[in-house]
Amino acid sequence: MDSVRLPTAPSSLRSQMLGQPLHRIPLPPCNGRSNLRFKPVIGTNLSRKNHVSPVAVITRDETTSVAPLASPQPRLKVSPSSLQYPAGYLGAVPERASDPENGSIAEAMEYLTNILSTKVYDVAIESPLHLAKKLSERLGVRLFLKREDLQPVFSFKLRGAYNMMVKLPAEQLAKGVICSSAGNHAQGVALSAAKLGCTAVIVMPRTTPEIKWQSVENLGATVVLVGDSYDEAQAFAKQRAEEEGLTFIPPFDHPDVIAGQGTVGMEITRQAKGPLHAIFVPIGGGGLIAGIASYVKRVCPEVKIIGVEPADANTMALSLHHGERVILDQVGGFADGVAVKVVGEETFRISRKLVDGVVLVTRDAICASIKDMFEEQRNILEPAGALAIAGAEAYCKYYGLKDVNVVAITSGANMNFDKLRIVTELANVGRQQEAVLATILPEKPGSFKKFCELVGAMNITEFKYRCGSEKESVVLYRQCCVLLLSVGVHTPGELKALEKRMESSQLRTRNLTSSDLVKDHLRYLMGGRSSVEEEVLCQFTFPERPGALMNFLDSFSPRWNISLFHYRAEGGAGANVLVGIQVPEQEMEEFRNRAQVLGYEYVLTKSEEVVEAMGVFLVSMVVLELSVGTKPVSLGSVRWAFMSRAYYASPICNLYCLRALISHYAVICRLWIPFSK
């Protein structure tokens, strides 16, 4: 059971840089003061009685300069797409040190002693190790779930925070603590401070969902909302810690925090009923996996410690691959609990010595694992909390493991309710029970009926059809096959057979299941032109706060014409927005400069296959329609339309969804307005 042989890497393994050269980015010098600028912000708490109580008010004078951080060495800046391999494959295997002990005995004993003597159980529970019966039966292994989502703050994070804080000298603790976080670490620090009787200041980006900062405030901490990103919040927190003598509590990169998280590994070795093949651990900054590896690899060295990361947030995998800490140029935000651009220095050092490798999983697989957990235990995990389950399942399938014991850490359950919509849409795709297809139909009588006959006994879960031109139209649909006694499951062979039937009838069909662009945007859009002159398609990440759209329009209006816009809230700190802008080739440099000044992360989309599949746009669930004239929609006219409506002018309204139709010259949007107003 312990000596399972793993096959070598497939020949299709992609670890090249995809034409994107590596370059080092200089970091700010340690002398002088940084010129990071923060916009004024006031956090408010809306009650049923319309009483507004301030959380914190930050003025421009208080935040125009931020104390410099220690000057680390310049790091490689890389793209997540530069290291991708098949789901379940154990990649980024670090090169071990030459010494057989793989580190000093004194160092190993220090972490072991700290973990064994920790006082985390003043606030944390020894979480249970549950056998996932349904998943185990499906995979042919015994999959155990380490239920850290059952902690008092629904996350493992309070272990490390409390372990560091309880060790602070009394006089230092009396001055108070401060941290920067957008989620679970904040709650861990707040609860620990309440237990120890000290004050806690939690600095969070102002894009943090209200439910998260309210949860922190309810634990007795002072919440300060600053900036649009975690980096801005962290810089402010460290400056305030220095100015006021507060102790900064890092989320992962501190020996005491790592030791606190290491108690999870100690519990697993004590609770496991038999030999373990592997423990799967979600990786963000690396604190949890470093702590677990520090204990388990010294006590049970034969057990594999395998990290799991989203394919678009593979910071640790890339760092291990390059043999040094790297920084991601962009990081996927769906699993926001592990959306970290740079792993910790100490966590990387430990991981490089003790971790066996990293498995990468897709967003669809994470959604499928959230559904698996719901069906298994009737609990809903956050995306980062389900990450290890997705990795364990993919790994067992890839290597064909049978009759072994594996453990997956369910690290958190602080799910933003709005994100459940995406989970339900993608869960069956992640299970490979649904496929997204696009078919081009000739626009003539009888073609739609012929299409339905070719589909045959297939269960269509979503169907969209719109006439695209005088000659042909596009059908976008999701399907799953009806088997003899089972509904909702398709096999690759049956899916190929459907595609072959379409092609043999001269109906061009494309399988777009793997395209996030289609699943995020194009499935909601029908109508308009499939080809627009000099159109540049971009995916921007908008901060989820009122005014984000206006900042975007101010940057590009009225310089260029907008040809497509799809903006849909996803329950996170940032929204994935698809934008089409008509920019001549000779003006692309100006476009890039304006985008850089705007500060929103973006990528250019150049997939010809997706462009061909766009076809026509479908607009549904209309709440408000604004006519913008009888000429092509421009950024300026869109901006004018919104500025002319008091609803959007109000700062309490948040743009929820906007779609611009270039063919019909109209803008359709949905607005979220608090009932208390």
Side-chain angles (χ1 to χ4, degrees):
M1 184 181 298
D2 298 333
S3 58
V4 179
R5 296 192 61 183
L6 306 182
T8 57
S11 58
S12 59
L13 177 62
R14 297 190 294 121
S15 61
Q16 64 274 15
M17 299 312 297
L18 300 180
Q20 301 180 8
L22 289 174
H23 55 282
R24 295 182 178 271
I25 55 173
L27 298 177
C30 60
N31 54 354
R33 297 182 68 85
S34 170
N35 288 323
L36 289 177
R37 301 176 66 185
F38 300 89
K39 297 180 180 179
V41 58
I42 177 170
T44 60
N45 192 0
L46 301 177
S47 67
R48 293 182 179 179
K49 297 181 180 180
N50 295 334
H51 172 70
V52 180
S53 58
V55 175
V57 180
I58 305 300
T59 65
R60 181 175 298 275
D61 292 339
E62 292 176 310
T63 58
T64 51
S65 62
V66 177
L69 307 179
S71 179
Q73 294 296 320
R75 291 188 285 271
L76 289 173
K77 185 178 183 182
V78 299
S79 169
S81 62
S82 65
L83 180 66
Q84 297 293 312
Y85 37 84
Y89 172 74
L90 185 61
V93 178
E95 296 182 2
R96 300 301 187 196
S98 57
D99 62 300
E101 295 295 338
N102 208 6
S104 69
I105 297 296
E107 173 193 323
M109 290 305 299
E110 183 177 0
Y111 267 108
L112 280 176
T113 302
N114 289 339
I115 292 172
L116 290 169
S117 62
T118 182
K119 297 181 179 179
V120 300
Y121 300 106
D122 292 347
V123 292
I125 65 169
E126 180 173 323
S127 58
L129 188 66
H130 287 161
L131 175 65
K133 296 181 180 179
K134 295 179 181 179
L135 277 171
S136 297
E137 182 178 351
R138 192 167 79 206
L139 296 175
V141 302
R142 289 176 292 278
L143 174 60
F144 294 89
L145 305 178
K146 181 60 174 169
R147 299 295 306 279
E148 285 300 291
D149 57 296
L150 299 180
Q151 291 292 347
V153 294
F154 309 106
S155 166
F156 71 95
K157 283 287 189 177
L158 81 166
R159 294 177 182 258
Y162 186 82
N163 191 54
M164 178 177 176
M165 292 170 60
V166 76
K167 292 184 177 183
L168 294 176
E171 61 274 12
Q172 191 173 351
L173 193 63
K175 296 179 180 179
V177 298
I178 189 171
C179 79
S180 54
S181 172
N184 296 337
H185 178 59
Q187 294 188 57
V189 172
L191 180 62
S192 299
K195 177 67 176 180
L196 295 171
C198 69
T199 60
V201 177
I202 312 297
V203 183
M204 311 178 84
R206 55 180 175 173
T207 54
T208 304
E210 182 179 1
I211 187 175
K212 291 190 175 182
W213 62 256
Q214 279 190 344
S215 298
V216 174
E217 193 180 51
N218 291 338
L219 292 171
T222 300
V223 177
V224 179
L225 304 177
V226 173
D228 291 335
S229 68
Y230 174 78
D231 291 340
E232 291 177 321
Q234 183 186 56
F236 176 83
K238 289 187 174 182
Q239 175 182 337
R240 182 162 174 176
E242 181 179 346
E243 293 175 348
E244 300 182 12
L246 306 176
T247 300
F248 181 79
I249 308 298
F252 47 80
D253 201 20
H254 190 281
D256 290 333
V257 174
I258 294 171
Q261 321 299 28
T263 56
V264 176
M266 178 183 65
E267 293 174 10
I268 291 174
T269 59
R270 184 167 60 238
Q271 295 169 325
K273 301 300 183 181
L276 296 177
H277 171 70
I279 299 174
F280 292 86
V281 187
I283 299 180
L288 181 60
I289 195 168
I292 291 176
S294 295
Y295 185 89
V296 175
K297 279 297 185 180
R298 305 302 182 183
V299 177
C300 305
E302 73 281 0
V303 178
K304 295 182 183 297
I305 305 299
I306 298 175
V308 186
E309 290 185 306
D312 59 358
N314 52 347
T315 321
M316 182 64 80
L318 277 162
S319 297
L320 294 175
H321 177 75
H322 289 287
E324 63 177 299
R325 290 197 301 155
V326 301
I327 181 171
L328 295 185
D329 57 359
Q330 290 187 341
V331 60
F334 177 70
D336 50 358
V338 293
V340 176
K341 287 188 174 183
V342 186
V343 297
E345 182 177 357
E346 176 69 0
T347 60
F348 173 71
R349 186 188 68 81
I350 295 174
S351 298
R352 193 176 183 185
K353 289 183 177 182
L354 302 178
V355 171
D356 291 284
V358 179
V359 170
L360 303 181
V361 297
T362 64
R363 181 181 58 170
D364 299 346
I366 297 173
C367 292
S369 293
I370 294 175
K371 183 177 181 179
D372 288 339
M373 183 63 178
F374 177 77
E375 295 178 348
E376 188 80 44
Q377 300 283 344
R378 290 299 184 267
N379 293 115
I380 298 177
L381 299 175
E382 63 183 281
L387 189 59
I389 299 178
E393 181 173 353
Y395 176 88
C396 292
K397 288 180 178 179
Y398 184 85
Y399 292 110
L401 298 186
K402 299 296 179 183
D403 195 32
V404 297
N405 297 322
V406 296
V407 175
I409 314 293
T410 58
S411 59
N414 288 301
M415 167 68 86
N416 188 334
F417 190 80
D418 292 338
K419 194 168 286 187
L420 287 174
R421 176 178 61 249
I422 302 174
V423 173
T424 57
E425 290 173 354
L426 299 180
N428 284 342
V429 175
R431 280 184 171 182
Q432 298 183 346
Q433 293 177 338
E434 274 191 3
V436 181
L437 306 174
T439 297
I440 310 297
L441 293 183
E443 193 54 53
K444 62 182 181 181
S447 60
F448 183 56
K449 181 180 179 181
K450 179 182 178 181
F451 167 81
C452 294
E453 291 173 345
L454 290 171
V455 171
M458 307 292 286
N459 181 26
I460 304 294
T461 59
E462 184 175 352
F463 194 100
K464 296 179 180 179
Y465 171 85
R466 183 72 167 91
C467 176
S469 67
E470 295 181 357
K471 296 183 178 180
E472 59 184 14
S473 60
V474 171
V475 179
L476 182 67
Y477 55 102
R478 295 160 63 190
Q479 64 82 32
C480 39
C481 174
V482 180
L483 300 180
L484 183 60
L485 295 175
S486 177
V487 178
V489 178
H490 74 75
T491 66
E494 291 166 334
L495 188 58
K496 288 292 183 182
L498 172 63
E499 296 179 44
K500 188 174 181 180
R501 290 199 301 272
M502 293 294 178
E503 295 294 340
S504 63
S505 300
Q506 285 75 51
L507 299 181
R508 287 177 294 160
T509 299
R510 292 192 181 276
N511 188 340
L512 302 174
T513 309
S514 61
S515 172
D516 287 339
L517 182 64
V518 170
K519 289 177 287 189
D520 288 342
H521 300 290
L522 301 187
R523 57 180 289 193
Y524 303 101
L525 305 176
M526 299 284 282
R529 307 174 191 172
S530 59
S531 178
V532 178
E533 183 180 1
E534 296 180 329
E535 183 181 49
V536 176
L537 290 178
C538 308
Q539 287 182 277
F540 280 86
T541 300
F542 277 37
E544 279 291 2
R545 56 172 174 77
L549 176 62
M550 289 303 303
N551 289 342
F552 174 85
L553 296 175
D554 286 338
S555 297
F556 298 104
S557 171
R559 183 67 177 89
W560 296 292
N561 181 56
I562 185 172
S563 54
L564 182 148
F565 198 103
H566 181 241
Y567 178 35
R568 187 166 182 258
E570 297 182 345
N576 185 355
V577 183
L578 179 64
V579 181
I581 304 179
Q582 292 177 270
V583 182
E585 180 64 30
Q586 62 272 20
E587 298 175 7
M588 280 301 298
E589 187 63 27
E590 180 185 353
F591 171 81
R592 292 189 181 94
N593 291 337
R594 290 188 178 221
Q596 184 176 4
V597 172
L598 174 64
Y600 297 176
E601 291 185 351
Y602 78 100
V603 293
L604 296 176
T605 302
K606 300 180 180 180
S607 174
E608 298 297 334
E609 185 173 298
V610 171
V611 171
E612 179 181 351
M614 284 174 59
V616 288
F617 298 69
L618 175 67
V619 180
S620 59
M621 298 182 70
V622 176
V623 174
L624 178 65
E625 179 170 343
L626 307 175
S627 173
V628 293
T630 57
K631 59 183 179 180
V633 177
S634 68
L635 285 170
S637 57
V638 172
R639 182 177 67 169
W640 171 85
F642 279 110
M643 292 183 66
S644 66
R645 295 299 187 268
Y647 293 110
Y648 185 74
S650 172
I652 66 170
C653 297
N654 188 24
L655 181 66
Y656 182 73
C657 181
L658 179 147
R659 299 176 182 127
L661 291 98
I662 191 171
S663 293
H664 299 175
Y665 316 128
V667 174
I668 293 118
C669 71
R670 284 187 286 167
L671 298 177
W672 174 81
I673 305 176
F675 287 110
S676 59
K677 289 296 181 183

